[in-house]
């Protein structure tokens, strides 16, 4: 089964950018549905972005459309989340996930997450 480890989180001011990375090991990400979700204190888990490699479809939460971009590199077994125009409400722990379905962000595997804090 694939294992996932995220990196790239940190502290950033509003309007700034971060690029999150997710390294997969143990198995390939080829043909898997992959995505990112986030968890903020006191809030429900929120799906951020998801891409289904079987049909190439990609979706984003309304709250991040136009600002975040998901990408992947199967040769390197990596998933990325480019985050631009960050807002304080983007603060949370970001987890990458794999092997699931985009509808409802239901995944079999996810990493422990990386903290993103957007502060003024």
């Amino acid at each position: 089964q694939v294992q996932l480890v995220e990196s790239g989180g940190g502290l950033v001011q509003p309007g700034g950018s971060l690029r999150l990375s997710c390294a997969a090991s143990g198995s390939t990400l080829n043909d898997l549905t992959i995505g990112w979700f986030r968890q903020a204190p006191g809030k429900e888990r929120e799906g951020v972005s998801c891409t289904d490699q079987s049909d190439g479809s990609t979706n984003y939460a309304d709250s991040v459309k136009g600002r975040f971009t998901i990408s992947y590199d199967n040769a390197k077994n990596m998933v990325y989340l480019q985050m631009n125009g960050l807002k304080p409400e983007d603060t949370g722990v970001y987890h990458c996930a794999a092997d699931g379905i985009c509808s409802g962000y239901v995944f079999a595997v996810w990493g422990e997450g990386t903290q993103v804090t957007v502060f003024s």
Side-chain angles (χ1 to χ4, degrees):
Q1 191 177 32
V2 64
Q3 291 91 43
L4 304 171
V5 178
E6 304 90 341
S7 62
L11 300 173
V12 64
Q13 292 186 327
S17 298
L18 284 174
R19 188 193 194 206
L20 305 183
S21 298
C22 175
S25 62
S27 184
T28 179
L29 291 175
N30 287 359
D31 299 324
L32 293 181
T33 295
I34 51 180
W36 291 87
F37 63 90
R38 64 189 180 188
Q39 181 78 58
K43 295 184 179 180
E44 292 187 358
R45 190 185 80 167
E46 178 185 18
V48 174
S49 180
C50 185
T51 187
D52 184 343
Q53 295 191 67
S54 67
D55 63 11
S57 62
T58 299
N59 59 54
Y60 295 90
D62 288 342
S63 58
V64 307
K65 279 180 181 177
R67 300 188 297 122
F68 290 12
T69 303
I70 189 172
S71 62
Y72 56 91
D73 185 338
N74 283 336
K76 296 181 179 179
N77 232 18
M78 296 287 293
V79 185
Y80 306 98
L81 185 68
Q82 178 66 44
M83 306 187 296
N84 299 325
L86 283 161
K87 304 175 181 180
E89 52 264 42
D90 294 319
T91 294
V93 178
Y94 284 70
H95 303 263
C96 70
D99 192 13
I101 56 175
C102 290
S103 178
Y105 283 77
V106 179
F107 292 97
V109 182
W110 55 90
E112 293 188 357
T114 184
Q115 176 72 45
V116 171
T117 303
V118 185
F119 70 103
S120 298

